[in-house]
Amino acid sequence: MFEEGASNAEIARAVGVCAESVRRWRRVWEQDGAPGLRRRSATGRPPKLDETQVEMVRAALEQGAQAHGFEADLWTLERVGAVVERVTGVALSRASVWRLLTGRLGWTLQRPERRAVERDESEIARWIAHEWPRIKKGP
């Protein structure tokens, strides 16, 4: 792909990275060869829940909030955290519950639609058709 004497800048432009990245890659290649350039697993603190526990949580959440003793069938971070702790014995912060829901479970934020229970669509349509034009016209 590249000539043996290609400069770091030429390679960087062709690949779409900065020349410093190419210099770093060349250093690793010279020291460790191809194995040194292989992708490494992520570092950092391991997750508090393993895959089995995540699936237990998914199954519990899919039962709905009322199945876990909550009055409304609505999930909040606090409620999910309580269910996670009840099911797995692991306490998570609100931020960790959010990452669990959006990252590992693939859930998205859903907000309930706020509407009056007494709302009468046919009466609203009648009002818009008859009353509003009369009011808009004026006396």
Side-chain angles (χ1 to χ4, degrees):
M1 180 172 173
F2 297 104
E3 292 181 24
E4 180 118 2
S7 74
N8 292 343
E10 292 171 323
I11 295 170
R13 265 192 304 282
V15 178
V17 298
C18 67
E20 178 57 34
S21 293
V22 176
R23 277 193 289 279
R24 190 173 55 252
W25 295 339
R26 279 194 173 182
R27 245 188 339 267
V28 170
W29 175 266
E30 290 165 2
Q31 290 174 357
D32 305 324
L37 293 173
R38 285 201 173 82
R39 185 180 297 255
R40 292 172 181 79
S41 60
T43 60
R45 173 180 241 153
K48 288 185 174 184
L49 301 177
D50 61 29
E51 288 307 312
T52 304
Q53 291 172 312
V54 170
E55 288 309 312
M56 290 168 46
V57 169
R58 179 190 309 274
L61 296 178
E62 286 174 350
Q63 294 172 354
Q66 288 178 326
H68 293 279
F70 298 107
E71 191 172 313
D73 210 17
L74 177 73
W75 287 115
T76 64
L77 292 178
E78 290 78 12
R79 288 179 176 187
V80 172
V83 170
V84 168
E85 190 166 359
R86 194 176 312 138
V87 170
T88 66
V90 177
L92 297 178
S93 67
R94 285 174 49 101
S96 293
V97 170
W98 177 255
R99 281 191 300 275
L100 169 68
L101 290 171
T102 59
R104 296 182 76 185
L105 293 176
W107 286 26
T108 57
L109 175 65
Q110 306 285 314
R111 294 192 189 263
E113 205 172 288
R114 301 215 183 264
R115 283 197 168 173
V117 177
E118 308 84 20
R119 187 176 170 103
D120 182 351
E121 296 297 332
S122 61
E123 179 60 24
I124 292 170
R126 188 203 62 76
W127 188 90
I128 290 172
H130 300 289
E131 299 298 324
W132 176 241
R134 185 180 58 78
I135 294 169
K136 192 173 170 185
K137 254 192 214 175

